[in-house]
Amino acid sequence: MAVFILSNRKIILKKNKDDKDSFSNDEMSIPNFRIAKCNFDNFKEPTKAQEKSKNYQGRAILDCKILGEPNKTGYQEVVDILKKEKGLNDSELTSSNLSGTQKMFYDLYKEMSTTKSQNDVLIFIHGFAYTFDDELKAILTLKKLYIDNKDSPINHILFISWPASSSIFPLTYFDDRAASINSGNSLLRLFYFYTQFLKDIFADKDLKPCNQHIHLMAHSMGNRLLQSMLYSLKTENISRVIDQVVLLSADVSFRVFEEAEDSFIKLPLLANRISIYVNKKDNILGISQFSKNILSPRLGKMGPSQISKLYETVSIIDVTGSENNLLTSAKYNFGNHWNYLSSSEVQKDIVAVLGGTDQSLIANRKVLNNNSYILA
């Protein structure tokens, strides 16, 4: 298991030798993503008293270490170390010489090259109103939902951390829009690093593909971050390196799959399958539409406007009738915006999607047409 945080949050430097550098809760960003690796070795579930404590933050939630920046660009050093470990060369380098994306990609390649059956990677982009402490709590939740779940194919998580505002209502939701767009540019750079890693690794005939899958999940305004990346991604540079893309409560226009928008129409070039989860009672997306996006219904509330050309790649799952049986506070029942956390039905459906189950064979679905389903 490997869990990494990729963040363009401001970094808080350690004050003494016993501390570690950390990411800030501030709503400020740095130009590029920095990478931290999470450590679960000494993790213990917090008590309710600890969760309420003012000291329940940062490393008290989850220990993580920010990796240093690589001294060189490219991934030839990773290739050399992997070949040395196979007895194919005499490089003086070891994995301790690696930093940043070099270390992350090395660890993931090593982990995913094992014979373990449930060994996929989930890239998760969170939505609005998250502090860094909130993100750490979200990572623990995602680990329970997907890594600890015996029915899930996921064994590794890349959590995309971006500096959203710290308050849910009412105006910070819209302030986060600019932050998500800016963070999309950093995500684009990271995507190019990843494709370069694949080219460098598999250009060497001695290193074989790991034959595992990488999935991408974006919630709420995290879809705007994804949209920003796709806007700038040149079509000729796209490789199909993602298996399943899951769009949850997507706060983007319902026209994003039209040619005029020229953004999400690139997703079928990037992924094998795209699943759009729609909730017609999503009140948070209703606020978004009528406050800042007049005449532009949200994808996660209305579904896509034009999808006929993409029905072989894109599926729409209507979860309007799903019950919030796991989390029932006013936030979840009124907002209807976090079904992937609050509904066991939605959670099971997502796990089936990530597992590659044929869309028409997933349990508790009713077929509406050849690419649309309702969770019954």
Side-chain angles (χ1 to χ4, degrees), residues 12-13 75 101 120 133 136 154 193 239 246 286 297 304 321 332 340 347 349-350 369:
I12 302 174
L13 299 177
Y75 299 97
T101 56
D120 290 358
D133 289 344
L136 292 175
I154 305 300
F193 283 157
S239 301
V246 179
Y332 296 100
Y340 78 101
Q347 288 181 2
D349 196 273
I350 292 172
N369 55 49

Side-chain angles (χ1 to χ4, degrees), residues 169-283:
F169 295 110
L171 298 177
T172 55
Y173 185 78
F174 312 111
D175 295 337
D176 283 347
R177 178 168 51 186
S180 66
I181 293 172
N182 293 336
S183 299
N185 296 325
S186 298
L187 185 61
L188 175 65
R189 186 166 180 262
L190 184 68
F191 174 79
Y192 283 134
F193 283 157
Y194 172 60
T195 54
Q196 184 61 50
F197 169 76
L198 294 181
K199 291 176 182 177
D200 289 352
I201 287 290
F202 300 129
D204 194 302
K205 65 181 187 318
D206 294 318
L207 298 176
K208 299 179 181 180
C210 60
N211 297 320
Q212 307 296 335
H213 295 119
I214 296 177
H215 312 289
L216 174 67
M217 186 183 296
H219 176 249
S220 187
M221 204 168 287
N223 286 267
R224 294 200 187 192
L225 192 152
L226 177 61
Q227 182 181 34
S228 177
M229 185 196 86
L230 291 169
Y231 267 133
S232 302
L233 186 60
K234 294 182 179 180
T235 303
E236 59 268 24
N237 292 335
I238 299 178
S239 301
R240 185 172 279 111
V241 294
I242 304 294
D243 183 30
Q244 304 291 331
V245 170
V246 179
L247 307 180
L248 304 167
S249 305
D251 185 20
V252 290
S253 169
F254 76 143
R255 298 184 185 278
V256 288
F257 283 95
E258 294 183 17
E259 292 288 340
E261 290 289 335
D262 195 31
S263 57
F264 275 37
I265 59 171
K266 298 175 184 177
L267 273 179
L269 302 177
L270 183 68
N272 292 325
R273 191 78 194 176
I274 298 98
S275 297
I276 306 170
Y277 284 79
V278 174
N279 187 342
K280 293 180 172 61
K281 294 182 180 180
D282 191 320
N283 290 318

Side-chain angles (χ1 to χ4, degrees), residues 158-177:
L158 303 185
F159 188 92
I160 306 300
S161 156
W162 56 279
S165 302
S166 58
S167 174
I168 269 191
F169 295 110
L171 298 177
T172 55
Y173 185 78
F174 312 111
D175 295 337
D176 283 347
R177 178 168 51 186

